[in-house]
mmCIF file of all heavy atoms in Angstrom:
data_model
loop_
_atom_site.group_PDB
_atom_site.id
_atom_site.type_symbol
_atom_site.label_atom_id
_atom_site.label_comp_id
_atom_site.label_asym_id
_atom_site.label_seq_id
_atom_site.Cartn_x
_atom_site.Cartn_y
_atom_site.Cartn_z
ATOM 1 N N GLU A 1 4.903 -19.847 42.887
ATOM 2 C CA GLU A 1 4.700 -20.980 41.977
ATOM 3 C C GLU A 1 3.554 -20.615 41.042
ATOM 4 O O GLU A 1 2.391 -20.910 41.332
ATOM 5 C CB GLU A 1 4.408 -22.253 42.759
ATOM 6 C CG GLU A 1 5.608 -22.699 43.555
ATOM 7 C CD GLU A 1 5.676 -24.198 43.749
ATOM 8 O OE1 GLU A 1 5.154 -24.950 42.914
ATOM 9 O OE2 GLU A 1 6.274 -24.595 44.746
ATOM 10 N N PRO A 2 3.891 -19.951 39.935
ATOM 11 C CA PRO A 2 2.832 -19.538 39.014
ATOM 12 C C PRO A 2 2.173 -20.737 38.327
ATOM 13 O O PRO A 2 2.789 -21.809 38.216
ATOM 14 C CB PRO A 2 3.557 -18.655 37.999
ATOM 15 C CG PRO A 2 4.994 -18.978 38.129
ATOM 16 C CD PRO A 2 5.210 -19.545 39.491
ATOM 17 N N PRO A 3 0.955 -20.557 37.875
ATOM 18 C CA PRO A 3 0.262 -21.646 37.179
ATOM 19 C C PRO A 3 0.918 -21.937 35.825
ATOM 20 O O PRO A 3 1.667 -21.108 35.301
ATOM 21 C CB PRO A 3 -1.158 -21.102 37.000
ATOM 22 C CG PRO A 3 -1.010 -19.624 37.050
ATOM 23 C CD PRO A 3 0.142 -19.342 37.958
ATOM 24 N N PRO A 4 0.633 -23.098 35.251
ATOM 25 C CA PRO A 4 1.236 -23.476 33.960
ATOM 26 C C PRO A 4 0.963 -22.486 32.830
ATOM 27 O O PRO A 4 1.732 -22.412 31.872
ATOM 28 C CB PRO A 4 0.603 -24.833 33.650
ATOM 29 C CG PRO A 4 0.160 -25.369 34.965
ATOM 30 C CD PRO A 4 -0.192 -24.169 35.806
ATOM 31 N N SER A 5 -0.112 -21.718 32.929
ATOM 32 C CA SER A 5 -0.434 -20.745 31.875
ATOM 33 C C SER A 5 0.566 -19.587 31.822
ATOM 34 O O SER A 5 0.630 -18.868 30.830
ATOM 35 C CB SER A 5 -1.843 -20.192 32.083
ATOM 36 O OG SER A 5 -1.926 -19.537 33.341
ATOM 37 N N VAL A 6 1.363 -19.413 32.860
ATOM 38 C CA VAL A 6 2.368 -18.352 32.903
ATOM 39 C C VAL A 6 3.616 -18.866 32.188
ATOM 40 O O VAL A 6 4.364 -19.677 32.727
ATOM 41 C CB VAL A 6 2.678 -17.934 34.359
ATOM 42 C CG1 VAL A 6 3.830 -16.966 34.407
ATOM 43 C CG2 VAL A 6 1.433 -17.335 35.006
ATOM 44 N N GLN A 7 3.801 -18.388 30.962
ATOM 45 C CA GLN A 7 4.898 -18.868 30.123
ATOM 46 C C GLN A 7 6.023 -17.842 29.931
ATOM 47 O O GLN A 7 7.165 -18.219 29.714
ATOM 48 C CB GLN A 7 4.355 -19.263 28.742
ATOM 49 C CG GLN A 7 3.369 -20.400 28.787
ATOM 50 C CD GLN A 7 4.039 -21.705 29.155
ATOM 51 O OE1 GLN A 7 5.056 -22.080 28.576
ATOM 52 N NE2 GLN A 7 3.493 -22.393 30.140
ATOM 53 N N THR A 8 5.694 -16.553 29.988
ATOM 54 C CA THR A 8 6.675 -15.493 29.743
ATOM 55 C C THR A 8 6.756 -14.580 30.960
ATOM 56 O O THR A 8 5.904 -14.637 31.857
ATOM 57 C CB THR A 8 6.282 -14.647 28.522
ATOM 58 O OG1 THR A 8 5.074 -13.940 28.828
ATOM 59 C CG2 THR A 8 6.109 -15.492 27.267
ATOM 60 N N ILE A 9 7.751 -13.709 30.942
ATOM 61 C CA ILE A 9 7.855 -12.727 32.021
ATOM 62 C C ILE A 9 6.615 -11.837 32.029
ATOM 63 O O ILE A 9 6.081 -11.520 33.093
ATOM 64 C CB ILE A 9 9.149 -11.899 31.891
ATOM 65 C CG1 ILE A 9 10.373 -12.805 32.062
ATOM 66 C CG2 ILE A 9 9.169 -10.772 32.922
ATOM 67 C CD1 ILE A 9 11.706 -12.136 31.743
ATOM 68 N N ALA A 10 6.121 -11.449 30.858
ATOM 69 C CA ALA A 10 4.901 -10.631 30.790
ATOM 70 C C ALA A 10 3.722 -11.365 31.426
ATOM 71 O O ALA A 10 2.939 -10.767 32.172
ATOM 72 C CB ALA A 10 4.584 -10.253 29.348
ATOM 73 N N ASP A 11 3.582 -12.657 31.149
ATOM 74 C CA ASP A 11 2.522 -13.455 31.783
ATOM 75 C C ASP A 11 2.682 -13.435 33.300
ATOM 76 O O ASP A 11 1.699 -13.314 34.031
ATOM 77 C CB ASP A 11 2.574 -14.912 31.326
ATOM 78 C CG ASP A 11 2.239 -15.132 29.864
ATOM 79 O OD1 ASP A 11 1.606 -14.257 29.247
ATOM 80 O OD2 ASP A 11 2.624 -16.206 29.350
ATOM 81 N N LEU A 12 3.922 -13.573 33.752
ATOM 82 C CA LEU A 12 4.198 -13.555 35.187
ATOM 83 C C LEU A 12 3.780 -12.233 35.811
ATOM 84 O O LEU A 12 3.117 -12.202 36.854
ATOM 85 C CB LEU A 12 5.685 -13.815 35.436
ATOM 86 C CG LEU A 12 6.142 -13.727 36.885
ATOM 87 C CD1 LEU A 12 5.518 -14.849 37.714
ATOM 88 C CD2 LEU A 12 7.667 -13.769 36.965
ATOM 89 N N VAL A 13 4.140 -11.136 35.165
ATOM 90 C CA VAL A 13 3.796 -9.814 35.698
ATOM 91 C C VAL A 13 2.283 -9.629 35.728
ATOM 92 O O VAL A 13 1.727 -9.127 36.707
ATOM 93 C CB VAL A 13 4.496 -8.701 34.886
ATOM 94 C CG1 VAL A 13 4.012 -7.330 35.301
ATOM 95 C CG2 VAL A 13 6.013 -8.810 35.043
ATOM 96 N N ARG A 14 1.593 -10.063 34.684
ATOM 97 C CA ARG A 14 0.119 -9.972 34.672
ATOM 98 C C ARG A 14 -0.482 -10.822 35.791
ATOM 99 O O ARG A 14 -1.445 -10.418 36.441
ATOM 100 C CB ARG A 14 -0.430 -10.405 33.316
ATOM 101 C CG ARG A 14 -0.205 -9.391 32.235
ATOM 102 C CD ARG A 14 -0.930 -9.805 30.939
ATOM 103 N NE ARG A 14 -0.301 -9.182 29.806
ATOM 104 C CZ ARG A 14 0.610 -9.746 29.014
ATOM 105 N NH1 ARG A 14 0.963 -11.003 29.201
ATOM 106 N NH2 ARG A 14 1.150 -9.089 28.020
ATOM 107 N N TRP A 15 0.079 -11.989 36.014
ATOM 108 C CA TRP A 15 -0.392 -12.860 37.088
ATOM 109 C C TRP A 15 -0.157 -12.209 38.451
ATOM 110 O O TRP A 15 -1.039 -12.216 39.306
ATOM 111 C CB TRP A 15 0.306 -14.219 36.986
ATOM 112 C CG TRP A 15 -0.064 -15.176 38.061
ATOM 113 C CD1 TRP A 15 -1.245 -15.858 38.191
ATOM 114 C CD2 TRP A 15 0.752 -15.569 39.165
ATOM 115 N NE1 TRP A 15 -1.196 -16.656 39.312
ATOM 116 C CE2 TRP A 15 0.018 -16.490 39.930
ATOM 117 C CE3 TRP A 15 2.037 -15.234 39.584
ATOM 118 C CZ2 TRP A 15 0.519 -17.087 41.089
ATOM 119 C CZ3 TRP A 15 2.539 -15.826 40.732
ATOM 120 C CH2 TRP A 15 1.785 -16.733 41.470
ATOM 121 N N LEU A 16 1.028 -11.609 38.643
ATOM 122 C CA LEU A 16 1.312 -10.890 39.888
ATOM 123 C C LEU A 16 0.336 -9.726 40.078
ATOM 124 O O LEU A 16 -0.122 -9.461 41.186
ATOM 125 C CB LEU A 16 2.752 -10.370 39.892
ATOM 126 C CG LEU A 16 3.855 -11.432 39.954
ATOM 127 C CD1 LEU A 16 5.205 -10.795 39.655
ATOM 128 C CD2 LEU A 16 3.857 -12.137 41.292
ATOM 129 N N ALA A 17 0.010 -9.035 38.988
ATOM 130 C CA ALA A 17 -0.913 -7.898 39.054
ATOM 131 C C ALA A 17 -2.310 -8.331 39.473
ATOM 132 O O ALA A 17 -3.018 -7.585 40.163
ATOM 133 C CB ALA A 17 -0.969 -7.191 37.701
ATOM 134 N N ALA A 18 -2.706 -9.524 39.075
ATOM 135 C CA ALA A 18 -4.066 -9.994 39.351
ATOM 136 C C ALA A 18 -4.240 -10.540 40.771
ATOM 137 O O ALA A 18 -5.370 -10.742 41.216
ATOM 138 C CB ALA A 18 -4.452 -11.071 38.342
ATOM 139 N N ARG A 19 -3.146 -10.730 41.495
ATOM 140 C CA ARG A 19 -3.249 -11.362 42.817
ATOM 141 C C ARG A 19 -3.780 -10.453 43.907
ATOM 142 O O ARG A 19 -4.459 -10.912 44.810
ATOM 143 C CB ARG A 19 -1.886 -11.892 43.275
ATOM 144 C CG ARG A 19 -1.367 -13.019 42.464
ATOM 145 C CD ARG A 19 -0.091 -13.584 43.035
ATOM 146 N NE ARG A 19 0.820 -12.517 43.414
ATOM 147 C CZ ARG A 19 1.826 -12.638 44.258
ATOM 148 N NH1 ARG A 19 2.062 -13.799 44.820
ATOM 149 N NH2 ARG A 19 2.618 -11.633 44.542
ATOM 150 N N ASP A 20 -3.431 -9.166 43.862
ATOM 151 C CA ASP A 20 -3.848 -8.264 44.938
ATOM 152 C C ASP A 20 -3.772 -6.808 44.485
ATOM 153 O O ASP A 20 -3.292 -6.515 43.384
ATOM 154 C CB ASP A 20 -3.011 -8.480 46.207
ATOM 155 C CG ASP A 20 -1.519 -8.308 45.982
ATOM 156 O OD1 ASP A 20 -1.117 -7.426 45.215
ATOM 157 O OD2 ASP A 20 -0.742 -9.067 46.600
ATOM 158 N N ALA A 21 -4.249 -5.919 45.334
ATOM 159 C CA ALA A 21 -4.306 -4.491 44.986
ATOM 160 C C ALA A 21 -2.916 -3.898 44.782
ATOM 161 O O ALA A 21 -2.720 -3.052 43.900
ATOM 162 C CB ALA A 21 -5.055 -3.715 46.064
ATOM 163 N N ALA A 22 -1.945 -4.321 45.569
ATOM 164 C CA ALA A 22 -0.577 -3.799 45.408
ATOM 165 C C ALA A 22 -0.042 -4.156 44.026
ATOM 166 O O ALA A 22 0.502 -3.299 43.313
ATOM 167 C CB ALA A 22 0.336 -4.344 46.497
ATOM 168 N N GLY A 23 -0.180 -5.404 43.641
ATOM 169 C CA GLY A 23 0.273 -5.834 42.315
ATOM 170 C C GLY A 23 -0.459 -5.127 41.200
ATOM 171 O O GLY A 23 0.140 -4.734 40.198
ATOM 172 N N THR A 24 -1.760 -4.943 41.374
ATOM 173 C CA THR A 24 -2.547 -4.230 40.368
ATOM 174 C C THR A 24 -2.009 -2.826 40.159
ATOM 175 O O THR A 24 -1.838 -2.378 39.019
ATOM 176 C CB THR A 24 -4.035 -4.170 40.784
ATOM 177 O OG1 THR A 24 -4.531 -5.502 40.901
ATOM 178 C CG2 THR A 24 -4.865 -3.399 39.777
ATOM 179 N N ALA A 25 -1.700 -2.125 41.228
ATOM 180 C CA ALA A 25 -1.186 -0.754 41.131
ATOM 181 C C ALA A 25 0.218 -0.720 40.544
ATOM 182 O O ALA A 25 0.508 0.070 39.638
ATOM 183 C CB ALA A 25 -1.207 -0.092 42.507
ATOM 184 N N VAL A 26 1.101 -1.564 41.047
ATOM 185 C CA VAL A 26 2.502 -1.544 40.608
ATOM 186 C C VAL A 26 2.639 -1.953 39.149
ATOM 187 O O VAL A 26 3.418 -1.355 38.397
ATOM 188 C CB VAL A 26 3.362 -2.462 41.507
ATOM 189 C CG1 VAL A 26 4.747 -2.668 40.928
ATOM 190 C CG2 VAL A 26 3.459 -1.887 42.902
ATOM 191 N N PHE A 27 1.901 -2.952 38.725
ATOM 192 C CA PHE A 27 2.066 -3.497 37.381
ATOM 193 C C PHE A 27 0.970 -3.045 36.412
ATOM 194 O O PHE A 27 0.722 -3.711 35.408
ATOM 195 C CB PHE A 27 2.144 -5.021 37.449
ATOM 196 C CG PHE A 27 3.295 -5.514 38.283
ATOM 197 C CD1 PHE A 27 3.080 -6.292 39.405
ATOM 198 C CD2 PHE A 27 4.595 -5.179 37.960
ATOM 199 C CE1 PHE A 27 4.137 -6.752 40.173
ATOM 200 C CE2 PHE A 27 5.667 -5.621 38.724
ATOM 201 C CZ PHE A 27 5.434 -6.411 39.833
#
């Protein structure tokens, strides 16, 4: 459930990247 600021797929990927080390590396 991404926050309201996540409007595009790119925003979603950036949000996923910021959550943890795995996301940071993958994205």
Side-chain angles (χ1 to χ4, degrees):
E1 293 210 27
S5 61
V6 173
Q7 297 291 310
T8 66
I9 296 171
D11 293 340
L12 176 66
V13 172
R14 286 187 204 97
W15 178 74
L16 292 168
R19 293 185 315 160
D20 57 38
T24 300
V26 169
F27 300 119

